Amino acid sequence: MNLNLYGHDGQWLMVDCGVSFNESLYPAAETGVTKDALFSVVAPDPEFITSRKEQLAGLVITHAHEDHVGAVPYIWQRFRCPVYTTPFTAEVLRRKLARENMAGRVPIIEVSENSTHTIGPFTVRWLAITHSIPDPYAILIDTSAGKIFHTADWKIDAQPVSGKPFQHTLYQALKEENILAMVGDSTNALKPGMSLSERNCFDGLLSVIKPLKGRVVVACFASNIARLISLARVAQRTGRYLALLGRSLINMVSIARAQGFWPEDITLADPEHIGYLPPEEVLVVATGSQGEPRAALSRLATNSHPQLELARGDHVIFSSIVIPGNEKPVERLLSRFAAMGVSTLLSEDSPLPVHASGHPCAEELKLMYHWVKPEIAIPVHGEAAHLQAHADIAKSCGIRKTYVGTNGDLYRLAPQAGIKRGAVKAGRIPIREKD
């Protein structure tokens, strides 16, 4: 659940405002409530900035994943600043706001690729990048104290199914910008090599699905439009009809159509009709890859879905990873499908690639550091081991200063009057005019 704040010249810039899922704020033993009842969204605590909201110049959203945009409808009223983002993300946000009866209340300023906007004392430039959702961007934050390169979520994908290929020259040029600090994604820092391209994932899914008999259900994240396009192409190549089960999937495809990311030659079957087709003609994408109890996949596992019933000889493929902490809910799904005679395949167990991560592995991080050459590396995203691995990679690339901390830490990146040297907890820093 990302919420980043950059302070300069008495004002602040917020970058991303997300939620986390399937986390319990309190152990069930302390509440007397079942664990499933405690599952909810968890948002960052905005107390630090809400007590200074008159100093908040704006909010920048880098892309439309829930952990970057999902908290805006819930906590925006505490700071009431303009929101800057690109068209796809803007449409995702508008629909979220409408569901919370906030339509038209949040000022959303749409920006375009490589455009530059002045937000208070910050000059922000949007840099196109590749990730697992349409319209992702890194940002370059320019101030009189220095330039910050904030990568957000990214990977190097030379063959994305949707969107433009990764632009190496755009990032190689940053070396000439004298970047003070790079704040970067650490999610896959422990993994060697390079991440897989979405194009490889299409090839793997086609090879796995083509010989199968019976119905095929694929579980994946609703926001991965490229994966949905790949599965639609697989359906075309294997003589199957593709249908979507889950409101978030249908909503995301609707946005992709409206924003021009969905190919015009791809049609989808009506979910109401998919249950009447012969099993060998059915390919379904379902929500619930993490074992969420009310999602489509869980309902299929309990034969309680109103539009489709699985039977012995059918197949479920997880075109996703099991997020740490969700192992038990996923294991329950696997057990239920096994009892039904439905075969399952986790991406971790597949001999062919059926999932491609949207985050950089170690070699991609090395390339980015060789291109950008920042003075300071600040790893974010992930557990302590991921952050430390990222810092070690940065050091191996000649970056002398790295900051590895915990949520709530504040780093002083350039000399500022009135602030004691060193990192302090964000909630305790004294705010003075012109600091």
Side-chain angles (χ1 to χ4, degrees), residues 201-215:
C201 191
F202 164 77
D203 294 335
L205 285 165
L206 178 61
S207 297
V208 168
I209 293 172
K210 191 173 183 179
L212 297 180
K213 307 297 182 183
R215 301 171 188 86

Side-chain angles (χ1 to χ4, degrees), residues 149-337:
F149 173 44
H150 184 102
T151 72
D153 293 356
W154 68 282
K155 66 183 288 186
I156 294 176
D157 195 338
Q159 292 184 303
V161 171
S162 177
K164 299 177 182 178
F166 185 88
Q167 301 174 45
H168 298 80
T169 55
L170 185 63
Y171 294 95
Q172 290 166 338
L174 290 183
K175 183 163 55 177
E176 307 304 320
E177 300 266 5
N178 297 317
I179 303 299
L180 175 62
M182 174 173 144
V183 180
D185 184 353
S186 310
T187 307
N188 282 344
L190 290 166
K191 296 182 179 180
M194 305 280 288
S195 62
L196 282 174
S197 169
E198 273 295 325
R199 193 74 57 179
N200 297 125
C201 191
F202 164 77
D203 294 335
L205 285 165
L206 178 61
S207 297
V208 168
I209 293 172
K210 191 173 183 179
L212 297 180
K213 307 297 182 183
R215 301 171 188 86
V216 177
V217 176
V218 178
C220 73
F221 300 116
S223 60
N224 197 330
I225 297 300
R227 192 70 46 81
L228 300 180
I229 292 172
S230 290
L231 288 166
R233 299 295 188 201
V234 168
Q236 291 174 334
R237 296 275 291 271
T238 58
R240 294 177 182 264
Y241 293 90
L242 182 71
L244 308 178
L245 299 184
R247 284 175 294 179
S248 58
L249 281 165
I250 294 168
N251 181 54
M252 275 293 178
V253 169
S254 172
I255 296 171
R257 287 185 192 278
Q259 296 294 325
F261 287 99
W262 191 261
E264 293 183 1
D265 66 318
I266 291 180
T267 58
L268 298 173
D270 189 327
E272 296 287 345
H273 300 161
I274 201 73
Y276 297 99
L277 293 173
E280 65 274 9
E281 294 182 7
V282 173
L283 178 57
V284 165
V285 183
T287 56
S289 65
Q290 304 306 306
E292 298 93 323
R294 291 181 292 275
L297 199 61
S298 286
R299 298 179 74 182
L300 289 171
T302 56
N303 268 335
S304 60
H305 199 283
Q307 294 164 335
L308 183 65
E309 183 175 313
L310 299 184
R312 183 173 299 277
D314 291 339
H315 312 272
V316 173
I317 299 168
F318 287 77
S319 184
S320 59
I321 60 167
V322 179
I323 296 173
N326 293 336
E327 292 87 355
K328 288 186 178 180
V330 173
E331 286 173 7
R332 284 197 293 270
L333 273 182
L334 299 179
S335 296
R336 287 169 179 163
F337 283 128

Side-chain angles (χ1 to χ4, degrees), residues 6 13 15 122-125 139-143 146-150:
Y6 293 94
L13 179 71
V15 178
F122 308 92
T123 300
V124 181
R125 178 153 62 103
I139 58 172
L140 186 65
I141 304 170
D142 193 357
T143 74
K147 295 179 180 180
I148 309 300
F149 173 44
H150 184 102

Side-chain angles (χ1 to χ4, degrees), residues 13 60 189 204 225 258 269 342 393:
L13 179 71
V60 170
I225 297 300
V342 173
I393 289 169

